[in-house]
Amino acid sequence: MKRLRRRLFLHFSFQFISLAVGMIILFILLMLILVGVMTKHESMINYYQTKVESVAIDTGNSINKLTMAEGWDKDLADEDVWVQIIDHNGKVIESSNVPPGFPDTYGKQELYVMQENKEMLGFSLYFYLETTYDEPYLFVLGKEDEAHSLLQQLTGDYNSEDIVDQARFGEIEEKLQALDGHLEIWDGNNQLLQSIGNDTNAAGDLPLDVYIRNVTPDAYATTATYHRDQSTGHLWVLYTPNEHKQELKLTSLEEIIVAFAITVAVFLLLAIILSFWNGFRYGNPLFIFTSWLSRMGNGQYEEVLTEKEKKLIFKKNGKIRMKYRLYAEVFGAFYDMAEKLDQSKKERERLEKTREEWMTGLSHDLRTPLTTMQGYGTLLESGQYDWSKQELKEIGKTIDDKSKYMLSLIEDFSLSFQLKNDSSIANFEPTEINSLMAHIIGKFQEDRTLLDYHLSFEPLDYPVTMPIAKRWFERMVDNLIYNAINHNPPGTNIKVKLDAAGDSLLKIKIEDDGIGMDEETRRNLFNRYYRGTHTEARTEGSGLGMSIALQIAKLHKGSLSVESVVGDGTVVVIELSVGGEPG
């Protein structure tokens, strides 16, 4: 017993110590790889800062005093940059490719201004302070900043108390073309006043991008140059293409993925060895349980066990293998639980769909009467009009009608769900169609908030009586007319016309001369929640109105079709059987 206890102690101690050591080694290796990748990435998003730091690396072997290696400046002229190296006393001890006008010695004030502005004599400046020697050295890299020079010229030539005179836009655009630039002028309230130049170089920066650009300028496709005018408070921003734009390359991601994959592979190998040490008989069932729980977590209730797992657990005659008989009740519980979870998922999806349909449809149908009531409320509150007693009475009646309509909508929408399963809830009555349509159209013609739309009605020359569910029928026509109003600009002509094809077919046409719709929108018009993508159309509503209208048309044993051309209006046709039995 003591030998067994000692052996188990040594076995598990060695096992966990080995695993811990392996994890530490792999973690260190992974961190080293990640540090290398991130360092490489940082060097890609700030090119000139990395350049000046790389120049600092090219120093001699001395550990006391900075001496530059031979040929350290061979690439500066090719890249059109210059470098100065300044010692602790402000004296330039090394330089290369420096243009005329730059001093050989700097004082405190000059260095402070250089540090503050990061610009000097039309050159953008990048700094790196080397502190590894006995005394510090400042590396300064200069890059000619054509954008800064141009912005200074523009602000000096074209700035005014308010904005740039549009008559001079042509002159500015000619100057911007040389750098393929884009100019934006913002006021002190963060409002864009003017935008001039190549729109493709408009960055669309967010406020924090001002600081992000300072840290990682080459992460952007454009370079931003700023100038704040002290007299007007305006901010001038010039965007020019960034030739050093870099992105996180796939190779970096590949290195991370490879390191992660190696780590996972080694850990998996150790886990497999340990699982054999701890006993294959008890380890394999645990893997199966884990796989099942994972599938259940992902909602794969139909797949309790994979084919491979079934072959491991069951014999060809269907009986459980000996080493898995201990878990026979567990596998039985798997199937029972999966079936219950699947039923619960389907019920939850059905309830969620019903809830979404309820909320979406209700908000869609309540929007229009609420808009009318809000419009009247705004007109009355403004106090800009002297309303007559008759006008106030009409407004009050309209608001009352809309309120009653909203209450009826809530009730009607509840009935719409029942309609899917039981059409007998609709009350069909013999109705004269001309008078019913005149009543429906009259509501819109009397609505003072819709005076900008010209709505006309052409009835039949003779009376036609047919079985109609009035409330549902009115709902259908309302939806179609509201669509013609909501998705067209003021001034649109909307004509509702009744037409009979023989004695058995009635057509209701709702025509408008509005903006129309494209073919994709027309094809998807009756899909629930679909919205058209025409850029001139308003996007309010949920897209449920046409689906409800089609459902009501089918309730009356009819059909609903739409024809439309972009820019040439829309025609909606309802075809109803005059003598057919509804329901």
Side-chain angles (χ1 to χ4, degrees):
M1 182 62 69
K2 291 183 178 179
R3 292 182 60 187
L4 177 60
R5 183 183 302 173
R6 187 184 305 112
R7 188 168 61 251
L8 291 174
F9 175 80
L10 293 175
H11 172 80
F12 286 106
S13 297
F14 178 78
Q15 171 182 314
F16 287 109
I17 292 173
S18 300
L19 182 61
V21 172
M23 291 177 62
I24 293 172
I25 294 174
L26 288 174
F27 179 80
I28 294 173
L29 290 176
L30 181 60
M31 288 299 100
L32 291 174
I33 294 174
L34 289 177
V35 168
V37 171
M38 296 307 297
T39 302
K40 179 180 178 182
H41 173 65
E42 289 294 328
S43 69
M44 294 166 58
I45 57 179
N46 197 338
Y47 179 81
Y48 290 111
Q49 185 62 41
T50 304
K51 183 66 179 178
V52 69
E53 292 176 9
S54 67
V55 171
I57 295 175
D58 289 330
T59 57
N61 298 323
S62 173
I63 61 175
N64 298 320
K65 185 177 181 181
L66 181 144
T67 56
M68 300 304 296
E70 184 177 354
W72 66 273
D73 58 344
K74 62 180 179 180
D75 297 326
L76 298 181
D78 295 337
E79 296 193 40
D80 197 23
V81 297
W82 55 264
V83 170
Q84 285 185 327
I85 305 173
I86 306 172
D87 66 11
H88 205 175
N89 297 316
K91 182 179 179 181
V92 178
I93 61 171
E94 288 275 3
S95 64
S96 178
N97 204 37
V98 180
F102 285 87
D104 295 327
T105 303
Y106 294 87
K108 293 181 180 179
Q109 184 173 358
E110 289 128 325
L111 290 173
Y112 175 82
V113 173
M114 290 168 59
Q115 182 187 39
E116 184 74 14
N117 298 333
K118 296 183 179 180
E119 187 273 340
M120 185 176 183
L121 300 179
F123 287 82
S124 294
L125 303 180
Y126 300 84
F127 307 95
Y128 177 74
L129 184 64
E130 178 62 78
T131 59
T132 59
Y133 299 97
D134 289 344
E135 65 177 73
Y137 295 91
L138 179 66
F139 288 71
V140 182
L141 182 144
K143 168 66 178 176
E144 185 176 8
D145 194 345
E146 297 178 342
H148 184 272
S149 301
L150 176 59
L151 186 59
Q152 292 294 329
Q153 180 185 358
L154 294 176
T155 55
D157 294 343
Y158 300 96
N159 192 21
S160 66
E161 290 300 323
D162 294 311
I163 56 178
V164 177
D165 188 356
Q166 292 189 359
R168 308 185 72 183
F169 271 26
E171 302 173 11
I172 298 177
E173 289 178 343
E174 288 182 2
K175 295 180 179 182
L176 291 174
Q177 286 178 359
L179 298 181
D180 194 21
H182 175 81
L183 178 66
E184 292 181 353
I185 304 175
W186 299 75
D187 67 11
N189 297 319
N190 294 316
Q191 298 295 321
L192 180 62
L193 299 178
Q194 291 180 313
S195 178
I196 311 172
N198 188 355
D199 289 339
T200 59
N201 287 326
D205 284 353
L206 297 175
L208 196 58
D209 285 331
V210 174
Y211 289 90
I212 298 175
R213 282 180 174 274
N214 185 53
V215 178
T216 59
D218 293 329
Y220 293 82
T222 60
T223 297
T225 306
Y226 303 90
H227 172 80
R228 173 170 288 280
D229 187 83
Q230 299 298 328
S231 60
T232 63
H234 293 172
L235 179 66
W236 293 56
V237 185
L238 175 60
Y239 295 102
T240 54
N242 183 7
E243 62 181 354
H244 295 292
K245 169 69 171 68
Q246 296 288 343
E247 297 179 351
L248 183 61
K249 297 184 179 300
L250 185 60
T251 54
S252 300
L253 293 177
E254 288 177 346
E255 292 172 0
I256 296 174
I257 293 172
V258 169
F260 182 78
I262 294 174
T263 304
V264 170
V266 173
F267 274 109
L268 181 60
L269 179 60
L270 292 175
I272 292 174
I273 295 174
L274 290 175
S275 67
F276 276 106
W277 287 353
N278 289 314
F280 179 80
R281 181 176 181 181
Y282 299 102
N284 199 48
L286 291 177
F287 293 144
I288 295 175
F289 298 158
T290 303
S291 299
W292 176 81
L293 290 172
S294 178
R295 287 192 291 274
M296 295 301 102
N298 294 328
Q300 298 173 254
Y301 306 132
E302 69 283 353
E303 187 180 25
V304 180
L305 297 173
T306 64
E307 290 299 324
K308 182 178 180 180
E309 290 169 347
K310 289 178 181 179
K311 291 179 180 179
L312 289 174
I313 297 169
F314 298 99
K315 298 179 181 179
K316 292 183 179 180
N317 58 9
K319 293 183 179 181
I320 298 179
R321 297 182 185 273
M322 178 66 69
K323 59 183 178 181
Y324 293 104
R325 285 184 183 178
L326 179 64
Y327 307 101
E329 292 81 6
V330 177
F331 294 129
F334 278 4
Y335 285 95
D336 292 340
M337 186 178 295
E339 183 178 356
K340 292 178 181 178
L341 289 173
D342 188 45
Q343 292 176 354
S344 176
K345 177 184 177 182
K346 291 178 180 178
E347 178 66 16
R348 186 172 64 252
E349 290 176 348
R350 185 187 68 81
L351 292 175
E352 181 66 18
K353 181 178 180 182
T354 301
R355 184 187 69 81
E356 290 179 356
E357 287 181 348
W358 169 272
M359 297 303 297
T360 305
L362 192 61
S363 64
H364 175 276
D365 292 322
L366 289 177
R367 187 185 300 272
T368 301
L370 278 173
T371 301
T372 300
M373 295 170 68
Q374 184 185 29
Y376 277 131
T378 302
L379 290 175
L380 292 172
E381 183 185 24
S382 67
Q384 297 179 1
Y385 305 94
D386 294 328
W387 302 99
S388 66
K389 184 176 181 180
Q390 179 62 29
E391 288 175 329
L392 291 174
K393 183 177 179 181
E394 292 176 359
I395 292 174
K397 183 178 183 301
T398 301
I399 294 176
D400 183 61
D401 290 342
K402 297 299 182 182
S403 300
K404 293 177 180 177
Y405 179 58
M406 289 168 61
L407 292 175
S408 66
L409 279 179
I410 296 175
E411 179 184 354
D412 288 348
F413 202 81
S414 298
L415 295 177
S416 69
F417 291 107
Q418 302 176 36
L419 186 63
K420 296 179 181 179
N421 303 314
D422 185 8
S423 62
S424 63
I425 61 173
N427 183 22
F428 288 88
E429 299 176 355
T431 306
E432 205 286 307
I433 195 66
N434 285 310
S435 59
L436 177 59
M437 289 296 297
H439 165 72
I440 296 172
I441 303 304
K443 294 188 307 182
F444 292 88
Q445 293 174 332
E446 295 172 2
D447 192 336
R448 291 180 175 272
T449 65
L450 303 177
L451 295 178
D452 291 334
Y453 295 86
H454 310 297
L455 184 63
S456 61
F457 174 53
E458 293 182 17
L460 293 171
D461 296 333
Y462 53 92
V464 172
T465 300
M466 56 186 298
I468 293 291
K470 290 184 180 180
R471 189 165 57 183
W472 292 98
F473 187 88
E474 184 173 351
R475 171 81 168 275
M476 173 181 66
V477 178
D478 282 350
N479 283 357
L480 297 176
I481 295 177
Y482 277 129
N483 275 348
I485 293 172
N486 290 337
H487 297 285
N488 285 301
T492 300
N493 296 303
I494 303 171
K495 180 170 68 174
V496 182
K497 179 180 179 181
L498 299 183
D499 190 14
D503 297 329
S504 60
L505 187 64
L506 174 70
K507 293 185 178 182
I508 304 174
K509 295 183 179 180
I510 301 175
E511 306 176 6
D512 66 69
D513 58 358
I515 62 176
M517 66 186 78
D518 56 30
E519 182 62 21
E520 180 184 1
T521 302
R522 190 193 66 79
R523 287 197 310 268
N524 291 279
L525 198 58
F526 297 106
N527 293 340
R528 286 176 180 261
Y529 319 122
Y530 178 82
R531 293 183 183 180
T533 57
H534 195 285
T535 56
E536 297 180 5
R538 286 170 288 188
T539 58
E540 62 188 33
S542 63
L544 191 60
M546 292 300 291
S547 176
I548 293 175
L550 177 61
Q551 184 181 358
I552 297 174
K554 291 180 178 179
L555 175 67
H556 289 80
K557 296 300 181 183
S559 63
L560 194 153
S561 61
V562 178
E563 295 296 330
S564 182
V565 177
V566 175
D568 199 24
T570 302
V571 180
V572 181
V573 180
I574 307 169
E575 293 187 355
L576 301 174
S577 177
V578 176
E581 290 294 330

